[in-house]
Amino acid sequence: MTDEKKQKTAVLLDCRNFYESRIGQFKGALAPDIRKFSYFPEYVDKNLDYFKDKSVYMYCTGGIRCERGSAYLKSKGVCKDVFQLHGGIHKYLQKYPDGYFRGKLFVFDDRYAIEFNEDVISDCSYCGTPCDQYQPCSSQHCHQLVLSCSACRLKDLTACCATCQKNENDETPMEECRCTSSRERIPLENQPNIETGVSDHAVQ
């Protein structure tokens, strides 16, 4: 089988949330633009045609979401094979710190990210400068994380959206910011590009 044909029949699938894959992922991976892992089953259901007859290689931070995600994908009976990275990205990076995973590994604590290599694959939300340092939105009511470079933070550009920037002192708590309503909740993936085998939604 040629490399081109393998690319068309295989998918490297990131099972994490979009803000995790935004700052670090395996090169060529399909990184679904979903905010919560609880959306993953709905994402699979909406994209069954995309995964049909393909070998899917799944990964997440530590392997737990892969266990659940792969079980759900297998239950649909559309994939040729479903594999997962045992131990997740964290274990992989401990063994291969300068391997195929580029950028930072997102973690759910005050560090927000762990660095294993010097690559920066994400940009400041305001000016587009390479940036992978998350900070909480400066609005009192919002729980979103923001990529804002040091220069933009000095200009007080520290909110996740214009609404939060304008209403920083609003203390009414919200699970999701108002700006999330503009995001497509469950994306529909395009079929792989003929030349690369990677979806147009894949983050390079």
Side-chain angles (χ1 to χ4, degrees), residues 48-69:
L48 287 177
D49 286 343
Y50 182 87
F51 296 113
K52 186 177 181 181
D53 298 327
K54 293 184 176 68
S55 294
V56 180
Y57 299 82
M58 307 173 70
Y59 69 89
C60 60
T61 304
I64 296 176
R65 283 177 284 185
C66 279
E67 290 282 351
R68 298 174 181 174

Side-chain angles (χ1 to χ4, degrees), residues 117-157:
N117 57 71
E118 297 181 355
D119 289 6
V120 178
I121 69 168
S122 51
D123 301 323
C124 172
S125 299
Y126 288 95
C127 70
T129 298
C131 173
D132 58 9
Q133 299 291 330
Y134 273 124
Q135 295 290 335
C137 176
S138 55
S139 175
Q140 296 295 315
H141 69 275
C142 184
H143 301 290
Q144 304 274 43
L145 293 175
V146 184
L147 287 175
S148 180
C149 69
S150 56
C152 287
R153 298 191 74 80
L154 287 174
K155 299 175 185 177
D156 292 326
L157 298 175

